Amino acid sequence: MKSKSFEGFMKIVFIICAATSILAILLICYFIFSGGVPFIMEYGLKNFLFGNKWAPSHSPQAFGILPMIVGSLLVTLGAIIIGVPIGVLTATYLAKFSNKKIYRFLKPSINLMAGIPSIVYGFFALVVVVPVMRNLVGGTGMNIITASLLLGIMILPTIIGLSESSIRSVPESYYEGSVGLGASHERAVMTVILPAAKSGIISSVILGIGRAIGETMAVILVAGNQPRIPSSLTQGVRTLTTNIVLEMGYAAEAHREALIATAVVLFVFILLINGIFLIIKRRAMN
Amino acid sequence: MSKLSIRNFNLYYDDFHALKDINMEIGEKEITAFIGPSGCGKSSLLKSLNRMNDLVEGCSINGEVLLDGKNIYDKDVDVNTLRKRIGMVFQKPNPFPMSIYDNIAYGPRTHNINNKARLDEIVEKSLRGAAIWDEVKDDLKKNALRLSGGQQQRICIARALAVEPEILLMDEPTSALDPISTSKIESLVQELKDKYTIIIVTHNMQQATRVSDKTAFFLSGEVIEFNDTDTLFSIPKDKRTEDYITGRFG
């Protein structure tokens, strides 16, 4: 009798625990949107999203976030171009080519990469990549390429981890079927295993995009942070995330609301990315 | 001269002695059945014949398997060429998750046939050879995984035929299939006999009597008896063979 009431009690505990995270996400949604949406309405969605001038301290103030949207998309795209081939091939190597000895060393190293605080990555890029970039292309060395390179490295653990497990989950029978026809190990892996792991690999890329677009502290150190639409890859950019961090400390009134509205846009991006992720995952199940 | 000669062949999984001193001559364009209870080594021997056992960790062998007089375990043998010559059909149908056409064309493409017209020809010929052309010819772009189990297995046979092997190894090809699919595969095996040397592992003794010319009975890693199928099933020489085929164990 006592154990039954205890079970009932524990059930409630579990429900509360489960509800906490859902509650958190709902609260975040509510406060971000209620803080940002009125501003967007007032300023005009089109002016806000497609205005290319961000000048909160001018008179009149201008709050166009197109430069930041472009900046976020560019560094994310750059990160994908750099991170995806390296990540997917690393995962392939780990799952299908490395021997146990190398694996035992490599795998924890990659896991460690995931645990390094992003500011440490940023600092590394600041003292190592930025000077190199300065010598190569001139200027401050803080530009789209630097930020892309940094983010490309930072999304590696996400891409490698998920890709590796999806490659490993491809049935061994596919591999046997392929080598049974006289295919080499390399050909079997590249033409049968990888295509079969496609949906998992794409999921990993999408999570990587989510990570890259949301990254802030590392990017702030090396991206240059100029709020303008860049005309070349060697110019600095400001992303949606860094825009918020840079100015939130002193912003007030409309400026502050504009920053919250920036967060709304970022949030919508993340929701879209997660939506795509879910759709792909569901399609893979069928 | 026999197509395949297995001589003093031993196989170990780490310390476990899985095949003990196997000697067997397999003639060209004959169907040989391997029968025996689970774990008797018949699948291990089959896998050894195109070196799929290379993929098994801890597996080691000694002895010889001669294909047209040449030991397939010699150092200078290219295992990919060997597997092109000795094709394999697996227990569980394992078509690749791609279109029917690409499944069949996979082997030829692996061996550098990329001409579209030539591939079309091979695909049709292989699918006809595996008695499934009429069922799939209108929809070669369809994902092979969406076919039924029996169709999938015939796709796998067609895929194996597409590289024009000399020998076809079949590892319990019907054990995962329903009776109708099974009978289709069995009659297919009969037809293939004109062109290929076939070795088929089976749990099913009726199947061995229906399709094979010769039968080898395995027990605990040894070949107990190897003879014409009719003889082996009607007048077995060994008591253990008799016990097995009459259903006293296994």
Side-chain angles (χ1 to χ4, degrees):
Chain A
M1 208 55 206
K2 190 186 164 200
S3 80
K4 209 160 207 179
S5 65
F6 179 71
E7 269 188 22
F9 169 73
M10 283 314 288
K11 202 171 168 184
I12 293 169
V13 171
F14 285 126
I15 289 172
I16 291 172
C17 289
T20 309
S21 54
I22 295 168
L23 187 71
I25 197 90
L26 289 177
L27 285 175
I28 290 170
C29 272
Y30 174 75
F31 282 104
I32 292 276
F33 280 97
S34 69
V37 171
F39 173 82
I40 297 176
M41 294 306 203
E42 193 190 313
Y43 192 76
L45 181 65
K46 205 178 137 214
N47 292 339
F48 183 64
L49 285 183
F50 299 112
N52 57 16
K53 195 167 174 217
W54 176 267
S57 43
H58 283 206
S59 178
Q61 292 173 305
F63 297 110
I65 61 161
L66 186 63
M68 278 64 89
I69 293 178
V70 171
S72 275
L73 292 181
L74 279 176
V75 295
T76 302
L77 184 71
I80 294 306
I81 290 171
I82 292 162
V84 169
I86 298 176
V88 172
L89 291 180
T90 305
T92 312
Y93 175 77
L94 285 176
K96 292 293 165 189
F97 291 93
S98 68
N99 60 37
K100 269 193 187 137
K101 224 164 135 191
I102 295 175
Y103 187 82
R104 229 177 291 160
F105 170 73
L106 260 182
K107 185 66 184 170
S109 316
I110 289 160
N111 287 340
L112 184 65
M113 271 184 88
I116 296 174
S118 61
I119 192 76
V120 175
Y121 278 101
F123 191 70
F124 162 78
L126 186 67
V127 297
V128 178
V129 185
V130 168
V132 173
M133 208 47 88
R134 198 182 296 142
N135 290 334
L136 278 177
V137 300
T140 60
M142 299 183 187
N143 57 40
I144 298 171
I145 301 175
T146 320
S148 298
L149 205 62
L150 170 64
L151 283 173
I153 294 169
M154 290 182 71
I155 62 174
L156 283 179
T158 309
I159 294 182
I160 294 171
L162 244 112
S163 296
E164 190 202 337
S165 62
S166 73
I167 291 169
R168 281 191 190 280
S169 68
V170 173
E172 194 63 20
S173 65
Y174 292 164
Y175 177 78
E176 288 176 351
S178 177
V179 296
L181 290 166
S184 61
H185 178 70
E186 291 77 13
R187 185 171 158 82
V189 171
M190 298 313 271
T191 59
V192 176
I193 308 280
L194 281 192
K198 193 173 59 190
S199 70
I201 291 172
I202 292 173
S203 301
S204 81
V205 171
I206 289 166
L207 281 191
I209 292 174
R211 173 108 211 257
I213 210 166
E215 183 47 47
T216 315
M217 293 322 290
V219 176
I220 216 167
L221 291 179
V222 300
N225 303 325
Q226 297 90 332
R228 53 132 203 253
I229 295 176
S231 56
S232 92
L233 291 180
T234 56
Q235 285 186 342
V237 285
R238 182 183 287 194
T239 66
L240 290 166
T241 52
T242 52
N243 190 41
I244 301 167
V245 172
L246 284 164
E247 299 182 0
M248 206 52 166
Y250 62 85
E253 293 164 7
H255 185 190
R256 187 183 156 83
E257 283 169 24
L259 293 178
I260 296 174
T262 308
V264 171
V265 175
L266 185 65
F267 199 64
V268 170
F269 271 121
I270 297 291
L271 287 179
L272 280 177
I273 289 165
N274 275 290
I276 296 169
F277 176 74
L278 283 181
I279 291 169
I280 288 177
K281 235 178 140 183
R282 196 162 302 162
R283 204 175 289 170
M285 296 259 210
N286 295 335
Chain B
M1 194 181 103
S2 54
K3 184 76 184 164
L4 265 181
S5 311
I6 302 163
R7 302 213 173 133
N8 304 323
F9 191 81
N10 287 278
L11 182 142
Y12 304 84
Y13 295 119
D14 295 316
D15 298 336
F16 177 63
H17 197 170
L19 289 172
K20 295 164 192 162
D21 217 23
I22 309 287
N23 284 284
M24 206 183 272
E25 301 288 325
I26 289 164
E28 190 158 14
K29 291 177 187 165
E30 272 180 354
I31 302 178
T32 307
F34 290 179
I35 61 166
S38 299
C40 66
K42 55 195 191 305
S43 283
S44 293
L45 182 61
L46 193 78
K47 287 198 177 101
S48 305
L49 301 181
N50 70 345
R51 293 185 55 178
M52 289 299 281
N53 58 344
D54 288 6
L55 306 177
V56 180
E57 216 170 307
C59 175
S60 58
I61 62 114
N62 62 57
E64 290 182 324
V65 177
L66 305 177
L67 171 62
D68 292 333
K70 165 85 181 155
N71 186 4
I72 64 168
Y73 283 94
D74 276 351
K75 286 225 159 53
D76 61 340
V77 169
D78 175 41
V79 66
N80 298 327
T81 315
L82 170 73
R83 291 184 188 142
K84 180 182 182 301
R85 293 179 67 191
I86 307 184
M88 188 154 199
V89 175
F90 298 83
Q91 184 170 359
K92 203 167 154 267
N94 61 345
F96 303 134
M98 46 179 91
S99 73
I100 294 170
Y101 185 96
D102 288 337
N103 262 283
I104 311 301
Y106 186 85
R109 281 177 178 146
T110 299
H111 302 289
N112 294 319
I113 297 172
N114 287 306
N115 178 298
K116 175 85 170 82
R118 179 89 185 94
L119 282 177
D120 287 350
E121 193 185 308
I122 293 173
V123 168
E124 176 169 350
K125 192 175 143 208
S126 308
L127 288 169
R128 280 189 193 283
I132 191 173
W133 173 251
D134 291 329
E135 288 162 63
V136 300
K137 65 181 176 199
D138 299 322
D139 209 359
L140 294 177
K141 292 260 181 297
K142 185 168 162 178
N143 192 317
L145 294 182
R146 289 173 53 200
L147 299 170
S148 73
Q151 288 175 321
Q152 286 188 11
Q153 192 61 299
R154 278 179 286 150
I155 291 291
C156 292
I157 294 173
R159 188 176 67 186
L161 298 183
V163 296
E164 298 180 328
E166 298 156 39
I167 301 177
L168 204 52
L169 308 176
M170 305 179 113
D171 189 1
E172 299 187 35
T174 61
S175 66
L177 304 180
D178 62 89
I180 293 169
S181 303
T182 299
S183 80
K184 277 188 183 161
I185 302 252
E186 283 181 8
S187 53
L188 172 60
V189 170
Q190 290 289 339
E191 287 167 31
L192 293 175
K193 186 191 154 181
D194 297 340
K195 288 191 201 148
Y196 305 92
T197 305
I198 295 172
I199 303 172
I200 182 167
V201 166
T202 178
H203 252 112
N204 181 329
M205 279 175 281
Q206 283 75 35
Q207 183 167 67
T209 57
R210 281 193 297 261
V211 303
S212 69
D213 302 314
K214 292 203 162 178
T215 298
F217 171 60
F218 288 69
L219 191 62
S220 316
E222 288 176 80
V223 174
I224 303 299
E225 195 164 341
F226 178 41
N227 214 332
D228 289 339
T229 299
D230 294 340
T231 316
L232 186 130
F233 279 97
S234 51
I235 27 173
K237 289 199 190 86
D238 195 290
K239 179 80 171 62
R240 288 167 293 180
T241 312
E242 191 184 337
D243 286 349
Y244 184 71
I245 60 178
T246 52
R248 243 164 271 169
F249 74 95

